[in-house]
Amino acid sequence: MKRFAIILLGFVLTFATLRFLLNTTFFPIHDFTHVTRLVEMDRAIQDGEFPVRWSKNLGYGYGMPLFNFYGPTPFYVAEVFHSIGLNYLFSIKAMVFVMTGVAFIGMYLLAAEYFGMLGGTVAATAFLLMPYRAVDLFVRGAFNELFAISLVPFIMYGFIRISREKSWFWTAVTSVFFMAFFTSHNLMTLMFFPFLYLFALVQTFAKKVKKRTYLIRMHSAIFLSVGLAAFYLFPSFFEKGWTQVDKLIGGYGAYEYHFLYIRQLFIENWGFGGSILGIEDGLSFHLGWVHVVLAAIGIVGWSLRAKTWYQRVICWFLAVSLGFSLFMTIFKSQFIWDRIPILVYFQFPWRFLSVAAVLVPLLAGAAVYAIPKSFPRKGIVFVAIALLLITNLRFFQPVKLLKNPDDQYYDDPKRIQSQMSSILPDYIPIWMKKIQEPFQQPFEILDGKNQQITVLVDRTQERLLQFTLAKPDTLVLRMAWFPNWTVYDNGIRVDHKVDDTTGFFSVQLGAGEHLISVKFEDTSLRTWTNIVSGMSAVIIIGVLGYAQHRRHSA
């Protein structure tokens, strides 16, 4: 009965916070590119590319390596729903429902480990009703960030289970959740990994933990997750220099303009605008008064009434981590930002509220420690949940609903090429120094004005052309070159030249018949990381199978 009540609460909260997704339209958000990304992923998968790396229509129709650098996992989840018949927009909505459900379950399991069923219920409710989640959902549209944040409690819970289980089952499960996290959002990986690693190490303080065994399994989970995500992690880091992503760092995206004042963490100031220098931002950064009060009570109550040294250490670690994450959002932390070069990619220091969005609800669950046993705990928890709903549910709504969602969420290739490409130019290859107008002739024989070219194959990762030349000439391929686009003539690899202004490439050809194959092949790094990911998947499947066999035979 208790389990049913918690499941029912999870469903109610999920549908309550996402009630404005229960329709046939959508709403304006800052990042309205999600349908386009899914369209491009679906097209690539239909064309036989996996793992998906290339987008055919972005980059003004000349292509760009979108999913080589932008977290693909949320879109793989959405693609599952699209493959069973949902349209692109509904598939994105389904993915949001899944990540919200995962967030509730993960936070409940994590908090219940420390605070029991009542504490887990409070923490899971506070997590789904955290104001910053509403900002990511209905203002920023930062679905990839929110997807990654939603996985964090499960990863933390996984480390707890690893520390006390004899089986390797949770080592494998945790590695899968960690892989999904790694492949959801690069900046969330950079932000959360140090915290998650330290949290895993803190588990060694627990009683009855065999430290050497735990450390081996803990690091095995991490290494397996890195191996499983290698197909994405390493190319996204080592090949980003071949894109124009660094152009996003300066100007409006400079972190110096986006620090917060402390009072902004406690002032509601709800809005649907953008982030600016000063206190007049168009969006809210407040933590939620009920959340803050519960978390403060939780920290005090947990630290004073903790039954073991381990629990006290965990409480202090989480409180210090929360304090540090909040410190990183304010002007006083700029000296840290100025000294760590990689932080420039975060652009907005208030992104560290992502860490607070996990830790504040978790510590709010600890408030049950402050309730004396003689008090009606269930009644007080009910009041706390009611207050969380009353004060925060109103934030989970959009500025308006679109009369026609096709105005922003479309799947037409022409519109993606001409309109969406200017919204999403992040990963255009560096060889295209001058942005090219869309709808140019894709293939052309330079001196053959009336030369006929037959296109036999036109897929995301491959083109196959057939034609006959009366004399030597040059074939111009108006596609954005990026390693490793390769050209074959009649099955033989041939050299090509890349124009360092347009980013297009061309091939010198002799007279005669030509069957030109242009393929997007893997670099050595991509090839080896694909192999590592495949081997890691086999190991994880083997570990899961072995653990299940041991469980049934025990």
Side-chain angles (χ1 to χ4, degrees), residues 265-280:
L265 300 173
F266 306 100
I267 297 174
E268 184 176 308
N269 192 34
W270 197 259
F272 296 88
S275 172
I276 60 173
L277 178 64
I279 201 169
E280 301 298 328

Side-chain angles (χ1 to χ4, degrees), residues 103 107-108 110-112 115 118-133 149 153 287-288 290-292 294-296 298 302 318 322 353-368 388:
M107 182 57 80
Y108 173 80
L110 172 63
F115 322 124
L118 293 179
T121 304
V122 171
T125 302
F127 191 32
L128 258 58
L129 291 169
M130 190 72 189
Y132 190 70
R133 287 184 68 89
I149 293 168
L287 299 172
V290 177
H291 286 82
V292 170
L294 288 175
W302 195 8
L318 295 177
L322 172 59
L353 289 177
S354 298
V355 178
V358 175
L359 298 186
V360 168
L362 177 57
L363 290 167
V368 297
L388 286 167

Side-chain angles (χ1 to χ4, degrees), residues 219-276:
H219 285 98
S220 295
I222 294 173
F223 285 126
L224 280 173
S225 65
V226 171
L228 201 57
F231 75 94
Y232 171 77
L233 279 180
F234 293 98
S236 68
F237 181 79
F238 290 106
E239 296 183 353
K240 69 180 177 63
W242 294 335
T243 72
Q244 300 186 28
V245 69
D246 282 351
K247 289 185 177 180
L248 301 177
I249 294 174
Y252 174 77
Y255 64 80
E256 295 93 336
Y257 300 134
H258 301 286
F259 286 105
L260 301 181
Y261 293 88
I262 294 176
R263 59 184 177 273
Q264 286 182 279
L265 300 173
F266 306 100
I267 297 174
E268 184 176 308
N269 192 34
W270 197 259
F272 296 88
S275 172
I276 60 173

Side-chain angles (χ1 to χ4, degrees), residues 467-519:
F467 52 86
T468 302
L469 295 179
K471 61 178 182 179
D473 213 327
T474 301
L475 170 66
V476 178
L477 300 160
R478 291 192 176 90
M479 300 157 55
W481 191 81
F482 187 83
N484 235 13
W485 277 110
T486 308
V487 183
Y488 296 88
D489 182 13
N490 295 321
I492 301 174
R493 182 171 178 170
V494 294
D495 293 332
H496 57 271
K497 181 181 179 182
V498 181
D499 187 296
D500 61 5
T501 299
T502 65
F504 300 151
F505 49 113
S506 59
V507 186
Q508 297 288 336
L509 300 171
E513 294 184 357
H514 296 276
L515 184 65
I516 301 294
S517 176
V518 188
K519 296 182 178 181

Side-chain angles (χ1 to χ4, degrees), residues 135-207:
V135 171
D136 274 357
L137 276 169
F138 294 103
V139 182
R140 298 179 61 217
F143 295 167
N144 276 58
E145 287 187 32
L146 196 54
F147 193 98
I149 293 168
S150 298
L151 293 170
V152 170
F154 254 118
I155 297 170
M156 296 170 70
Y157 175 70
F159 284 128
I160 295 173
R161 293 298 296 265
I162 291 172
S163 70
R164 73 177 193 215
E165 300 281 345
K166 295 181 179 180
S167 169
W168 282 77
F169 177 80
W170 276 98
T171 301
V173 171
T174 304
S175 69
V176 173
F177 277 107
F178 228 144
M179 181 280 294
F181 173 79
F182 283 146
T183 55
S184 294
H185 198 274
N186 297 345
L187 297 181
M188 294 299 101
T189 295
L190 290 173
M191 184 184 298
F192 274 98
F193 184 78
F195 162 76
L196 290 170
Y197 185 73
L198 289 174
F199 176 81
L201 289 179
V202 170
Q203 302 311 308
T204 59
F205 285 92
K207 285 185 177 181

Side-chain angles (χ1 to χ4, degrees), residues 440-483:
Q440 296 185 47
Q441 186 175 341
F443 316 111
E444 183 180 7
I445 303 299
L446 202 57
D447 296 328
K449 295 181 179 179
N450 299 315
Q451 177 68 54
Q452 182 177 359
I453 299 176
T454 302
V455 180
L456 301 176
V457 173
D458 185 12
R459 293 198 287 258
T460 298
Q461 76 283 15
E462 182 183 12
R463 313 289 195 278
L464 186 62
L465 316 175
Q466 188 176 48
F467 52 86
T468 302
L469 295 179
K471 61 178 182 179
D473 213 327
T474 301
L475 170 66
V476 178
L477 300 160
R478 291 192 176 90
M479 300 157 55
W481 191 81
F482 187 83

Side-chain angles (χ1 to χ4, degrees), residues 38 73-83 88 91-92 94-95:
L38 179 58
T73 292
F75 299 97
Y76 282 128
V77 173
E79 177 64 16
V80 171
F81 290 102
H82 181 65
S83 68
Y88 293 114
S91 298
I92 292 293
M95 178 270 291

